[in-house]
Amino acid sequence: MTVWIALLRGVNVGGHRKVPMADLRRVVAALPATDVRTYVQSGNVVFGSPRRREADVVAAVEGALAAEFGFPIDVIARSAADLAAVLTANPLLADDRDPARLHVTFLPRPPKAGAVDPGLQRVGADEYVLVGRDLYLYTPDGIGRSKLVTVLSDRRLGVAGTARNWRTVTTLAAMATA
């Protein structure tokens, strides 16, 4: 049994594309899955599955959600081991940085060639760096004021991702290993 974390993209934002967490747990449990748990309303679900391939997990969850809710929902999945690696690979963790200003944008695959320069990049006070298929962000003035939204748009990257704040990432990782 592999523990997976599924991150739903664009649900429960501004009253649109409602996915109640109780319904999300029920739908995922029927895949089948074990020990299904959700975290906050932004569409984060941790569960055990006999499926070992990420693509199979994504296809199963996306298909079940579309059937249940009547609209497509992009899902990005990471295994518990993948998410643990995200925690240790964060190049923006530093003693003087506020972890409340750290975020990770999870991508299903790396961005198109040339979309993101290698190494640490700065846009005003904001910083970002791509590690594999995860974009680490530091926004000292808050994500709402960040210019990174346009610099790292889906169109520019050639792939749609979903962002989570560092607290959510660390909580999901802890849930996946509990």
Coordinates of all heavy atoms in Angstrom, one line a residue, residues 43-131:
G43 N -8.8 21.4 -0.8 CA -8.7 20.2 -1.6 C -7.4 19.5 -1.5 O -6.6 19.3 -2.4
N44 N -7.1 19.0 -0.3 CA -5.9 18.2 0.0 C -6.4 16.9 0.7 O -7.1 17.0 1.7 CB -5.0 18.9 1.1 CG -4.7 20.3 0.6 OD1 -4.0 20.5 -0.4 ND2 -5.1 21.3 1.3
V45 N -6.0 15.8 0.1 CA -6.4 14.5 0.6 C -5.3 13.6 0.7 O -4.5 13.5 -0.2 CB -7.6 14.0 -0.2 CG1 -7.3 13.8 -1.6 CG2 -8.2 12.7 0.4
V46 N -5.1 12.9 1.8 CA -4.1 11.9 2.1 C -4.8 10.6 2.2 O -5.8 10.4 2.9 CB -3.3 12.3 3.4 CG1 -2.3 11.2 3.7 CG2 -2.7 13.6 3.3
F47 N -4.2 9.5 1.5 CA -4.8 8.2 1.6 C -3.9 7.1 1.2 O -2.8 7.4 0.5 CB -6.0 8.2 0.6 CG -5.7 8.5 -0.8 CD1 -5.5 7.5 -1.7 CD2 -5.6 9.8 -1.2 CE1 -5.2 7.8 -3.0 CE2 -5.3 10.2 -2.6 CZ -5.1 9.1 -3.5
G48 N -4.2 5.9 1.6 CA -3.4 4.8 1.1 C -4.1 4.2 -0.1 O -5.3 4.2 -0.2
S49 N -3.3 3.6 -1.0 CA -3.8 3.1 -2.2 C -3.0 1.9 -2.7 O -1.8 2.0 -2.6 CB -3.9 4.1 -3.3 OG -4.3 3.5 -4.6
P50 N -3.6 0.9 -3.3 CA -2.8 -0.2 -3.9 C -2.2 0.2 -5.2 O -1.2 -0.4 -5.6 CB -3.8 -1.3 -4.1 CG -5.2 -0.6 -4.2 CD -5.0 0.6 -3.3
R51 N -2.6 1.4 -5.7 CA -2.0 1.9 -6.9 C -0.6 2.4 -6.6 O -0.4 3.1 -5.7 CB -2.8 3.0 -7.5 CG -4.1 2.5 -8.1 CD -4.9 3.7 -8.6 NE -6.1 3.3 -9.3 CZ -7.3 3.0 -8.7 NH1 -7.4 3.2 -7.4 NH2 -8.3 2.6 -9.4
R52 N 0.4 2.0 -7.5 CA 1.8 2.4 -7.2 C 2.3 3.5 -8.1 O 3.3 4.1 -7.9 CB 2.7 1.2 -7.3 CG 2.4 0.1 -6.3 CD 3.3 -1.1 -6.5 NE 2.9 -2.1 -5.5 CZ 3.6 -2.5 -4.5 NH1 4.7 -1.9 -4.2 NH2 3.2 -3.4 -3.7
R53 N 1.6 3.7 -9.3 CA 2.0 4.7 -10.2 C 1.2 6.0 -10.0 O 0.0 5.9 -10.0 CB 1.8 4.1 -11.6 CG 2.8 3.1 -12.0 CD 2.6 2.5 -13.4 NE 1.5 3.2 -14.2 CZ 1.7 4.0 -15.3 NH1 2.9 4.1 -15.8 NH2 0.7 4.5 -15.9
E54 N 2.0 7.1 -10.0 CA 1.3 8.4 -9.9 C 0.3 8.6 -10.9 O -0.8 9.1 -10.6 CB 2.4 9.5 -9.9 CG 1.9 10.8 -9.7 CD 3.1 11.8 -9.7 OE1 4.0 11.7 -9.0 OE2 3.0 12.8 -10.5
A55 N 0.6 8.3 -12.2 CA -0.4 8.6 -13.2 C -1.7 7.8 -13.0 O -2.8 8.3 -13.3 CB 0.2 8.2 -14.6
D56 N -1.6 6.6 -12.5 CA -2.8 5.8 -12.2 C -3.6 6.4 -11.1 O -4.9 6.5 -11.1 CB -2.4 4.4 -11.8 CG -1.8 3.6 -13.0 OD1 -2.0 4.0 -14.1 OD2 -1.1 2.6 -12.7
V57 N -2.9 6.9 -10.1 CA -3.6 7.6 -8.9 C -4.3 8.9 -9.5 O -5.5 9.1 -9.2 CB -2.6 8.0 -7.8 CG1 -3.3 8.9 -6.8 CG2 -2.1 6.7 -7.2
V58 N -3.6 9.7 -10.2 CA -4.2 10.9 -10.8 C -5.5 10.6 -11.6 O -6.5 11.2 -11.5 CB -3.2 11.7 -11.6 CG1 -3.8 12.8 -12.4 CG2 -2.1 12.3 -10.6
A59 N -5.3 9.6 -12.5 CA -6.4 9.3 -13.4 C -7.6 8.8 -12.6 O -8.8 9.2 -12.9 CB -6.0 8.2 -14.4
A60 N -7.4 8.0 -11.6 CA -8.5 7.4 -10.8 C -9.2 8.5 -10.0 O -10.5 8.6 -10.0 CB -8.0 6.4 -9.8
V61 N -8.4 9.4 -9.4 CA -9.0 10.5 -8.6 C -9.8 11.5 -9.5 O -10.9 11.9 -9.2 CB -8.0 11.2 -7.7 CG1 -8.6 12.4 -7.0 CG2 -7.4 10.2 -6.7
E62 N -9.1 11.9 -10.6 CA -9.8 12.9 -11.5 C -11.1 12.3 -12.1 O -12.1 13.0 -12.1 CB -8.8 13.2 -12.6 CG -7.7 14.2 -12.2 CD -6.8 14.6 -13.4 OE1 -6.8 13.9 -14.4 OE2 -6.1 15.6 -13.2
G63 N -11.0 11.0 -12.5 CA -12.2 10.4 -13.0 C -13.4 10.3 -12.0 O -14.5 10.6 -12.3
A64 N -13.0 9.9 -10.8 CA -14.1 9.8 -9.7 C -14.6 11.2 -9.4 O -15.9 11.3 -9.2 CB -13.5 9.1 -8.5
L65 N -13.8 12.2 -9.3 CA -14.3 13.5 -9.0 C -15.2 14.1 -10.1 O -16.2 14.7 -9.8 CB -13.1 14.5 -8.7 CG -12.3 14.2 -7.5 CD1 -11.0 15.1 -7.4 CD2 -13.1 14.3 -6.2
A66 N -14.8 13.9 -11.3 CA -15.6 14.4 -12.5 C -17.0 13.7 -12.5 O -18.0 14.4 -12.7 CB -14.9 14.2 -13.8
A67 N -17.0 12.4 -12.2 CA -18.3 11.7 -12.1 C -19.1 12.2 -11.0 O -20.3 12.3 -11.1 CB -18.0 10.2 -12.0
E68 N -18.5 12.5 -9.9 CA -19.3 12.9 -8.7 C -19.8 14.4 -8.8 O -20.9 14.7 -8.4 CB -18.4 12.8 -7.4 CG -19.0 13.3 -6.2 CD -20.2 12.4 -5.7 OE1 -20.3 11.2 -6.0 OE2 -21.0 12.9 -4.9
F69 N -18.9 15.3 -9.2 CA -19.2 16.7 -9.2 C -19.6 17.3 -10.5 O -20.1 18.4 -10.5 CB -18.0 17.5 -8.6 CG -17.7 17.1 -7.1 CD1 -16.6 16.3 -6.9 CD2 -18.6 17.4 -6.1 CE1 -16.4 15.9 -5.6 CE2 -18.3 17.1 -4.8 CZ -17.2 16.3 -4.5
G70 N -19.4 16.6 -11.6 CA -19.9 17.1 -12.9 C -19.1 18.1 -13.5 O -19.5 18.7 -14.5
F71 N -17.8 18.3 -13.1 CA -16.9 19.2 -13.7 C -15.5 18.6 -13.5 O -15.2 17.9 -12.6 CB -17.0 20.6 -13.2 CG -16.9 20.8 -11.7 CD1 -15.7 20.9 -11.1 CD2 -18.1 20.8 -11.0 CE1 -15.6 21.1 -9.7 CE2 -18.0 21.0 -9.6 CZ -16.8 21.1 -9.0
P72 N -14.6 18.9 -14.5 CA -13.2 18.4 -14.3 C -12.5 19.1 -13.3 O -12.6 20.3 -13.1 CB -12.6 18.6 -15.7 CG -13.4 19.8 -16.3 CD -14.8 19.7 -15.7
I73 N -11.7 18.3 -12.5 CA -10.8 18.9 -11.5 C -9.4 18.3 -11.7 O -9.2 17.1 -11.7 CB -11.3 18.5 -10.1 CG1 -12.7 19.0 -9.8 CG2 -10.3 19.0 -9.0 CD1 -13.4 18.5 -8.6
D74 N -8.5 19.2 -11.9 CA -7.1 18.8 -12.1 C -6.5 18.3 -10.7 O -6.8 19.0 -9.7 CB -6.2 19.9 -12.6 CG -6.5 20.3 -14.1 OD1 -7.0 19.4 -14.8 OD2 -6.2 21.4 -14.5
V75 N -5.9 17.2 -10.7 CA -5.3 16.7 -9.5 C -3.8 16.5 -9.7 O -3.4 16.0 -10.8 CB -5.9 15.3 -9.2 CG1 -5.2 14.6 -8.0 CG2 -7.4 15.5 -8.9
I76 N -3.0 16.9 -8.8 CA -1.6 16.6 -8.7 C -1.3 15.7 -7.5 O -1.8 16.0 -6.4 CB -0.8 17.9 -8.7 CG1 -1.1 18.7 -10.0 CG2 0.7 17.6 -8.5 CD1 -0.5 20.1 -10.0
A77 N -0.6 14.6 -7.8 CA -0.4 13.7 -6.7 C 1.1 13.6 -6.4 O 1.9 13.7 -7.3 CB -0.9 12.3 -7.1
R78 N 1.4 13.3 -5.2 CA 2.7 13.0 -4.7 C 2.6 11.9 -3.7 O 1.7 11.8 -2.9 CB 3.4 14.2 -4.0 CG 3.7 15.4 -4.9 CD 4.7 15.2 -5.9 NE 5.2 16.4 -6.6 CZ 4.7 16.8 -7.7 NH1 3.7 16.2 -8.3 NH2 5.1 18.0 -8.3
S79 N 3.6 11.0 -3.8 CA 3.7 9.9 -2.8 C 4.2 10.5 -1.5 O 4.7 11.7 -1.5 CB 4.6 8.8 -3.2 OG 5.9 9.2 -3.2
A80 N 4.0 9.8 -0.4 CA 4.5 10.3 0.9 C 6.1 10.5 0.8 O 6.6 11.5 1.3 CB 4.2 9.3 2.0
A81 N 6.7 9.6 0.1 CA 8.2 9.8 -0.1 C 8.5 11.0 -0.9 O 9.5 11.8 -0.6 CB 8.8 8.5 -0.7
D82 N 7.7 11.3 -1.9 CA 8.0 12.5 -2.8 C 7.8 13.7 -1.9 O 8.5 14.7 -2.1 CB 7.0 12.5 -3.9 CG 7.2 11.5 -5.0 OD1 8.4 10.9 -5.1 OD2 6.3 11.2 -5.8
L83 N 6.7 13.7 -1.1 CA 6.5 14.9 -0.3 C 7.5 15.1 0.8 O 7.9 16.3 1.0 CB 5.1 14.9 0.3 CG 4.5 16.2 0.8 CD1 4.5 17.2 -0.4 CD2 3.2 16.1 1.4
A84 N 8.0 14.1 1.3 CA 9.1 14.2 2.3 C 10.4 14.8 1.6 O 11.1 15.6 2.2 CB 9.5 12.8 2.9
A85 N 10.6 14.4 0.3 CA 11.7 15.0 -0.4 C 11.5 16.4 -0.7 O 12.5 17.2 -0.7 CB 11.9 14.2 -1.7
V86 N 10.3 16.9 -0.9 CA 10.0 18.3 -1.1 C 10.4 19.1 0.1 O 10.9 20.2 0.0 CB 8.5 18.5 -1.4 CG1 8.1 20.0 -1.3 CG2 8.1 18.0 -2.8
L87 N 10.1 18.5 1.3 CA 10.5 19.2 2.6 C 12.0 19.4 2.7 O 12.5 20.5 3.0 CB 10.0 18.4 3.8 CG 8.5 18.3 4.0 CD1 8.3 17.5 5.3 CD2 7.9 19.7 4.1
T88 N 12.8 18.4 2.3 CA 14.2 18.5 2.5 C 14.9 19.2 1.4 O 16.0 19.7 1.5 CB 14.9 17.1 2.6 OG1 14.6 16.3 1.5 CG2 14.3 16.4 3.9
A89 N 14.2 19.3 0.2 CA 14.8 20.0 -1.0 C 14.6 21.5 -1.0 O 15.2 22.1 -1.9 CB 14.3 19.3 -2.2
N90 N 13.9 22.1 -0.1 CA 13.5 23.5 -0.2 C 14.8 24.4 0.0 O 15.3 24.5 1.1 CB 12.5 23.9 0.9 CG 11.9 25.2 0.7 OD1 12.5 26.1 0.0 ND2 10.8 25.5 1.3
P91 N 15.2 25.0 -1.1 CA 16.4 25.8 -1.0 C 16.2 27.2 -0.5 O 17.1 27.9 -0.2 CB 16.9 25.9 -2.5 CG 15.6 25.8 -3.3 CD 14.7 24.8 -2.5
L92 N 14.9 27.5 -0.2 CA 14.6 28.8 0.3 C 14.4 28.8 1.9 O 14.1 29.9 2.4 CB 13.3 29.4 -0.3 CG 13.4 29.5 -1.8 CD1 12.1 30.0 -2.4 CD2 14.5 30.5 -2.2
L93 N 14.6 27.7 2.5 CA 14.5 27.6 4.0 C 15.8 28.3 4.5 O 16.9 27.9 4.2 CB 14.5 26.2 4.5 CG 13.1 25.5 4.4 CD1 13.2 24.1 4.8 CD2 12.1 26.3 5.2
A94 N 15.6 29.3 5.3 CA 16.8 30.0 5.9 C 16.3 30.5 7.3 O 15.1 30.7 7.5 CB 17.2 31.1 5.1
D95 N 17.2 30.6 8.2 CA 16.9 31.0 9.5 C 16.2 32.4 9.6 O 15.3 32.5 10.5 CB 18.2 31.1 10.4 CG 18.9 29.8 10.5 OD1 18.2 28.7 10.3 OD2 20.0 29.7 10.9
D96 N 16.5 33.3 8.7 CA 15.9 34.6 8.8 C 14.6 34.8 8.0 O 14.0 35.9 7.9 CB 16.9 35.7 8.4 CG 17.4 35.5 7.0 OD1 17.3 34.4 6.5 OD2 17.9 36.5 6.4
R97 N 14.1 33.7 7.4 CA 12.9 33.8 6.6 C 11.7 33.3 7.4 O 11.8 32.4 8.1 CB 13.1 32.9 5.3 CG 14.1 33.5 4.4 CD 14.0 32.9 3.0 NE 14.9 33.6 2.2 CZ 15.4 33.1 1.1 NH1 15.1 31.9 0.8 NH2 16.3 33.8 0.4
D98 N 10.6 34.0 7.2 CA 9.4 33.7 7.8 C 8.7 32.5 7.0 O 8.4 32.7 5.9 CB 8.4 34.9 7.7 CG 7.1 34.7 8.4 OD1 6.8 33.6 8.9 OD2 6.3 35.7 8.4
P99 N 8.6 31.4 7.7 CA 8.0 30.2 7.0 C 6.6 30.5 6.5 O 6.1 29.8 5.6 CB 8.1 29.1 8.0 CG 8.4 29.7 9.3 CD 8.9 31.1 9.0
A100 N 5.9 31.5 7.1 CA 4.5 31.8 6.6 C 4.6 32.4 5.2 O 3.5 32.5 4.6 CB 3.9 32.8 7.6
R101 N 5.7 32.8 4.8 CA 5.9 33.4 3.4 C 6.4 32.5 2.4 O 6.7 32.9 1.3 CB 6.8 34.7 3.5 CG 6.3 35.7 4.5 CD 4.9 36.2 4.2 NE 4.5 37.3 5.1 CZ 3.4 37.9 5.1 NH1 2.5 37.6 4.2 NH2 3.1 38.8 5.9
L102 N 6.6 31.2 2.8 CA 7.1 30.2 1.9 C 5.9 29.4 1.3 O 4.9 29.1 1.9 CB 8.0 29.2 2.6 CG 9.3 29.7 3.1 CD1 10.0 28.7 4.0 CD2 10.2 30.0 1.9
H103 N 6.0 29.1 0.0 CA 5.0 28.3 -0.7 C 5.7 27.3 -1.7 O 6.9 27.5 -2.0 CB 4.1 29.3 -1.6 CG 3.5 30.4 -0.8 ND1 2.3 30.3 -0.1 CD2 4.0 31.6 -0.5 CE1 2.1 31.4 0.5 NE2 3.1 32.2 0.3
V104 N 4.9 26.3 -2.1 CA 5.4 25.4 -3.1 C 4.3 25.3 -4.1 O 3.1 25.1 -3.8 CB 5.7 24.0 -2.5 CG1 6.2 23.1 -3.6 CG2 6.7 24.1 -1.4
T105 N 4.7 25.5 -5.4 CA 3.8 25.2 -6.5 C 4.1 23.8 -7.0 O 5.2 23.6 -7.5 CB 3.9 26.3 -7.6 OG1 3.5 27.5 -7.0 CG2 2.9 25.9 -8.7
F106 N 3.2 22.9 -6.9 CA 3.4 21.5 -7.4 C 2.9 21.5 -8.8 O 1.8 21.9 -9.2 CB 2.5 20.6 -6.5 CG 3.0 20.5 -5.1 CD1 2.4 21.3 -4.1 CD2 4.0 19.6 -4.7 CE1 2.8 21.3 -2.8 CE2 4.4 19.6 -3.4 CZ 3.8 20.4 -2.4
L107 N 3.8 21.0 -9.7 CA 3.5 20.8 -11.1 C 3.4 19.3 -11.4 O 4.2 18.5 -10.8 CB 4.6 21.4 -11.9 CG 4.9 22.9 -11.6 CD1 6.2 23.4 -12.4 CD2 3.7 23.8 -12.0
P108 N 2.6 18.9 -12.3 CA 2.5 17.5 -12.7 C 3.8 17.0 -13.5 O 4.1 15.8 -13.5 CB 1.3 17.4 -13.6 CG 1.1 18.7 -14.1 CD 1.6 19.7 -13.1
R109 N 4.5 17.9 -14.1 CA 5.7 17.6 -14.8 C 6.5 18.9 -14.8 O 6.0 20.0 -14.6 CB 5.4 17.2 -16.2 CG 4.7 18.2 -17.1 CD 4.3 17.6 -18.5 NE 3.6 18.6 -19.2 CZ 2.3 19.0 -19.0 NH1 1.6 18.4 -18.1 NH2 1.7 19.9 -19.8
P110 N 7.8 18.9 -15.2 CA 8.6 20.1 -15.2 C 8.0 21.1 -16.3 O 7.4 20.6 -17.2 CB 10.0 19.6 -15.6 CG 10.0 18.2 -15.2 CD 8.6 17.7 -15.4
P111 N 8.3 22.4 -16.1 CA 7.8 23.3 -17.1 C 8.5 23.1 -18.4 O 9.5 22.4 -18.5 CB 8.3 24.7 -16.5 CG 8.7 24.4 -15.1 CD 9.0 23.0 -15.0
K112 N 7.9 23.7 -19.5 CA 8.5 23.6 -20.8 C 9.9 24.2 -20.8 O 10.2 25.1 -20.0 CB 7.6 24.3 -21.8 CG 7.5 25.8 -21.7 CD 6.6 26.4 -22.7 CE 6.4 27.9 -22.5 NZ 5.5 28.5 -23.4
A113 N 10.7 23.7 -21.7 CA 12.1 24.2 -21.8 C 12.2 25.7 -21.9 O 11.5 26.3 -22.7 CB 12.8 23.5 -23.0
G114 N 13.0 26.3 -21.1 CA 13.3 27.7 -21.2 C 12.3 28.6 -20.4 O 12.5 29.8 -20.3
A115 N 11.3 28.0 -19.8 CA 10.3 28.7 -19.1 C 10.8 29.3 -17.8 O 10.4 30.4 -17.3 CB 9.0 27.9 -18.8
V116 N 11.7 28.6 -17.1 CA 12.2 29.0 -15.8 C 13.8 28.9 -15.9 O 14.3 27.8 -16.3 CB 11.7 28.1 -14.7 CG1 12.3 28.5 -13.4 CG2 10.2 28.2 -14.6
D117 N 14.4 30.0 -15.6 CA 15.9 29.9 -15.6 C 16.4 29.1 -14.4 O 15.7 29.0 -13.4 CB 16.5 31.3 -15.5 CG 16.2 32.2 -16.7 OD1 16.2 31.6 -17.8 OD2 16.1 33.4 -16.6
P118 N 17.5 28.4 -14.6 CA 18.0 27.6 -13.5 C 18.5 28.5 -12.4 O 18.9 29.6 -12.6 CB 19.1 26.8 -14.1 CG 19.5 27.6 -15.3 CD 18.3 28.3 -15.8
G119 N 18.5 27.9 -11.2 CA 19.0 28.6 -10.0 C 18.0 29.6 -9.4 O 16.8 29.7 -9.9
L120 N 18.4 30.2 -8.4 CA 17.5 31.2 -7.6 C 17.2 32.4 -8.5 O 18.1 33.0 -9.1 CB 18.2 31.6 -6.3 CG 17.5 32.6 -5.5 CD1 16.2 32.0 -4.9 CD2 18.4 33.1 -4.4
Q121 N 16.0 32.7 -8.6 CA 15.5 33.9 -9.3 C 14.8 34.9 -8.4 O 14.2 34.5 -7.5 CB 14.5 33.5 -10.4 CG 15.1 32.4 -11.4 CD 16.3 33.0 -12.2 OE1 16.2 34.0 -12.7 NE2 17.4 32.2 -12.2
R122 N 15.0 36.2 -8.8 CA 14.3 37.2 -8.0 C 13.4 38.1 -8.8 O 13.8 38.4 -10.0 CB 15.4 38.1 -7.3 CG 16.1 37.4 -6.2 CD 17.1 38.3 -5.5 NE 17.7 37.7 -4.3 CZ 18.7 36.8 -4.3 NH1 19.3 36.5 -5.5 NH2 19.1 36.3 -3.2
V123 N 12.3 38.4 -8.3 CA 11.4 39.4 -8.9 C 11.0 40.3 -7.8 O 10.2 40.0 -6.9 CB 10.1 38.7 -9.5 CG1 9.2 39.7 -10.1 CG2 10.5 37.7 -10.6
G124 N 11.6 41.5 -7.8 CA 11.4 42.4 -6.7 C 11.9 41.8 -5.4 O 13.0 41.2 -5.4
A125 N 11.1 41.8 -4.4 CA 11.5 41.2 -3.1 C 11.3 39.6 -3.1 O 11.7 38.9 -2.3 CB 10.7 41.8 -2.0
D126 N 10.5 39.2 -4.1 CA 10.1 37.7 -4.2 C 11.3 36.9 -4.8 O 12.1 37.4 -5.6 CB 8.9 37.5 -5.0 CG 7.7 38.3 -4.5 OD1 7.6 38.5 -3.3 OD2 6.8 38.6 -5.3
E127 N 11.3 35.7 -4.4 CA 12.3 34.7 -4.9 C 11.6 33.4 -5.2 O 10.6 33.0 -4.6 CB 13.4 34.4 -3.8 CG 14.2 35.6 -3.4 CD 15.2 35.3 -2.3 OE1 14.9 34.5 -1.4 OE2 16.2 36.0 -2.3
Y128 N 12.2 32.7 -6.2 CA 11.7 31.4 -6.6 C 12.8 30.6 -7.2 O 13.8 31.1 -7.7 CB 10.5 31.5 -7.5 CG 10.8 32.0 -8.9 CD1 11.1 31.1 -9.9 CD2 10.8 33.3 -9.2 CE1 11.4 31.5 -11.2 CE2 11.1 33.8 -10.5 CZ 11.4 32.9 -11.5 OH 11.6 33.3 -12.8
V129 N 12.6 29.3 -7.1 CA 13.6 28.4 -7.6 C 12.8 27.1 -8.0 O 12.0 26.6 -7.2 CB 14.8 28.1 -6.7 CG1 14.4 27.4 -5.4 CG2 15.9 27.3 -7.4
L130 N 13.2 26.5 -9.1 CA 12.6 25.3 -9.6 C 13.5 24.1 -9.2 O 14.7 24.2 -9.5 CB 12.4 25.3 -11.1 CG 11.9 24.0 -11.7 CD1 10.4 23.8 -11.3 CD2 12.0 24.0 -13.2
V131 N 12.9 23.1 -8.5 CA 13.7 21.9 -8.2 C 12.8 20.8 -8.7 O 11.8 20.5 -8.2 CB 13.9 21.7 -6.7 CG1 14.6 20.4 -6.4 CG2 14.7 22.9 -6.1

